[in-house]
Amino acid sequence: MMADNTHQSRMIKKKSVMDKKIAAATQERGVLILLKGNGKGKSSSAFGTMARSLGHDKKCAVIQFIKGRSETGEYKLFRDHPLVDWHIMGHGFTWETQDKTQDIAAAQKAWSVAEKLLQDDSYSMLVLDEMSYMFKYHYLEIAPIVTALQHRPKQQNVIITGRTMALPLQDIADTISVVRDERHAFRLGIKAQQGIEY
Ligand code: ATP
Ligand code: MG
């Protein structure tokens, strides 16, 4: 009995703390979410959140700044969705090419697509996948991108993924989640597989 009472009074206290926090969150606007860190789960989390928006019939766009090695499962699933625009940019941007001029041109092209979408309030969500590498390698300037993000439509949500995140993006973000690499199957000798990695 004693234990139950203690539990109940703790829960009542917790509820009142939560209720106050909920009452204090009154703003309604889109958020900038950054998903960073070396662990697995950034892009898949971004696409999962996009699926959540699509479930509510909200229009979304994806811009992939680096093209992966194959058609991913998420691309095959979403490309024909009437509310999704999917732009695969950065063709040829790989560790193998090392063609800096070509990479910079690809980065700028990807940004010019993103910049337009950041002015279009019909899009509820933009996923800028692997965008953070563009700053790491100095392929894009950060200042105009910060400005464009700050001036985007008020209700528009933006998710940026990438292992390392530029500090100016962190300064203006609303939510930052770090996916930490504690273990990865690859280091256990397990091959990348369809449906998990791509
Ligand atoms: P995912 O797309 O699975 O959510 P991610 O976006 O967090 O992964 P990236 O840094 O974009 O990870 O790397 C993309 C690819 O590398 C994915 O196939 C992913 O499974 C794999 N990967 C991610 N983290 C690691 C890691 N720590 N070691 C080895 N491979 C990884
Ligand atoms: Mg990724």
Side-chain angles (χ1 to χ4, degrees):
M1 270 317 268
M2 264 303 264
D4 273 2
N5 281 339
T6 314
H7 177 75
Q8 198 176 14
S9 69
R10 245 192 232 147
M11 285 302 153
I12 290 169
K13 253 187 225 150
K14 207 168 209 174
K15 180 170 159 40
S16 107
V17 170
M18 272 318 290
D19 285 349
K20 274 187 198 133
K21 284 184 184 166
I22 291 166
T26 55
Q27 291 181 59
E28 286 184 43
R29 61 172 176 83
V31 288
L32 173 61
I33 300 175
L34 307 181
L35 303 174
K36 65 174 196 170
N38 291 324
K40 168 176 165 52
K42 300 172 292 296
S43 297
S44 44
S45 161
F47 299 135
T49 309
M50 186 174 85
R52 194 174 262 175
S53 286
L54 289 170
H56 295 290
D57 298 319
K58 294 174 190 297
K59 192 167 149 188
C60 301
V62 176
I63 298 172
Q64 290 192 293
F65 279 76
I66 299 177
K67 185 195 177 302
R69 56 182 178 167
S70 65
E71 280 196 348
T72 60
E74 55 271 28
Y75 173 67
K76 287 163 90 169
L77 176 69
F78 289 125
R79 68 182 161 195
D80 297 325
H81 194 292
L83 291 174
V84 178
D85 287 354
W86 195 298
H87 304 270
I88 301 176
M89 313 299 291
H91 285 272
F93 181 96
T94 67
W95 324 124
E96 283 123 49
T97 61
Q98 315 247 323
D99 183 342
K100 200 164 179 196
T101 315
Q102 184 190 302
D103 289 350
I104 290 172
Q108 279 166 351
K109 205 167 159 201
W111 169 243
S112 73
V113 173
E115 195 176 20
K116 279 199 196 79
L117 298 177
L118 282 164
Q119 291 165 16
D120 186 340
D121 68 2
S122 71
Y123 290 90
S124 172
M125 176 176 291
L126 307 183
V127 175
L128 307 177
D129 192 37
E130 320 295 352
M131 189 199 216
S132 66
Y133 296 102
M134 303 300 119
F135 311 117
K136 186 178 173 196
Y137 294 113
H138 304 287
Y139 288 173
L140 290 176
E141 258 185 83
I142 188 83
I145 288 162
V146 166
T147 305
L149 285 165
Q150 285 174 317
H151 291 94
R152 75 187 191 277
K154 188 169 177 248
Q155 301 302 332
Q156 191 178 73
N157 298 291
V158 178
I159 305 180
I160 301 177
T161 77
R163 292 193 182 194
T164 55
M165 213 42 86
L167 290 178
L169 290 179
Q170 302 197 149
D171 288 341
I172 62 163
D174 301 293
T175 297
I176 304 176
S177 295
V178 186
V179 181
R180 193 163 62 86
D181 178 24
E182 189 165 311
R183 182 178 302 171
H184 194 285
F186 180 65
R187 291 197 298 279
L188 302 178
I190 301 168
K191 256 177 102 162
Q193 56 183 305
Q194 194 181 50
I196 299 293
E197 264 78 38
Y198 59 93

